[in-house]
Amino acid sequence: QDRVASSTAPEQAGPAPLADRYRQLAAESDSVVTPWSLPSDPEFAAVRGEVLWNDRLQAGFLRFEGMPVNDPLRRQYQLWIVDPVRDSRPVDGGVFDIAAADEVVIVPIRAKLAVDNPQLFAVTREKPGGVVVSEGPLLLLARPG
């Protein structure tokens, strides 16, 4: 059973619809699946999963297995999308929480701006609600292409 990560985004989806949406996007011929690189931080060494992204639809998901649980009152995870054609600064992909490390967690990407050529997806741990500019460190990375 896939688990849905909580998100500060206005749209909330239950586990079944989100898993179905993930499968539907993965079935699109122009969707790209990029696995997370092996992290250098030992706390994240057991994390597996991938980024699923579709430029045409401007939609995507993060999938995690073994992601460390966070306390949303102290820290939240935040996704950053690097699209150097668009801007020199990364695009905020949304904040999310992990409630259980022993389950598969699917998180919808909530890009605040359009990205047409993502070169890197990165996850950081930030203050609750996220930040405008991250000071790092980059905990997980996925490089499409």
Side-chain angles (χ1 to χ4, degrees):
Q1 172 83 3
D2 292 341
R3 179 175 189 77
V4 178
S6 63
S7 171
T8 59
E11 177 190 346
Q12 295 292 321
L18 192 56
D20 289 345
R21 288 174 36 212
Y22 182 96
R23 284 189 284 278
Q24 289 167 354
L25 188 63
E28 294 287 331
S29 63
D30 53 348
S31 289
V32 176
V33 176
T34 307
W36 295 112
S37 301
L38 291 176
S40 57
D41 185 327
E43 182 182 1
F44 294 85
V47 176
R48 300 293 178 264
E50 70 267 346
V51 176
L52 170 63
W53 180 252
N54 186 295
D55 281 341
R56 176 179 52 85
L57 298 174
Q58 289 293 294
F61 296 94
L62 311 176
R63 194 176 74 73
F64 301 102
E65 296 177 50
M67 186 75 165
V69 172
N70 68 298
D71 175 354
L73 298 176
R74 296 182 64 223
R75 292 283 198 205
Q76 287 189 291
Y77 291 110
Q78 188 164 1
L79 173 66
W80 301 97
I81 306 165
V82 176
D83 179 357
V85 174
R86 187 198 185 300
D87 197 330
S88 61
R89 291 170 295 201
V91 172
D92 176 4
V95 297
F96 61 95
D97 301 309
I98 301 293
D102 60 342
E103 298 182 30
V104 174
V105 180
I106 297 173
V107 179
I109 294 174
R110 309 271 190 223
K112 304 299 184 268
L113 302 167
V115 289
D116 294 320
N117 188 24
Q119 298 298 303
L120 176 71
F121 294 87
V123 174
T124 60
R125 198 165 21 201
E126 307 293 350
K127 67 181 184 178
V131 296
V132 175
V133 177
S134 179
E135 294 180 8
L138 303 179
L139 305 172
L140 293 171
L141 303 172
R143 297 181 195 277

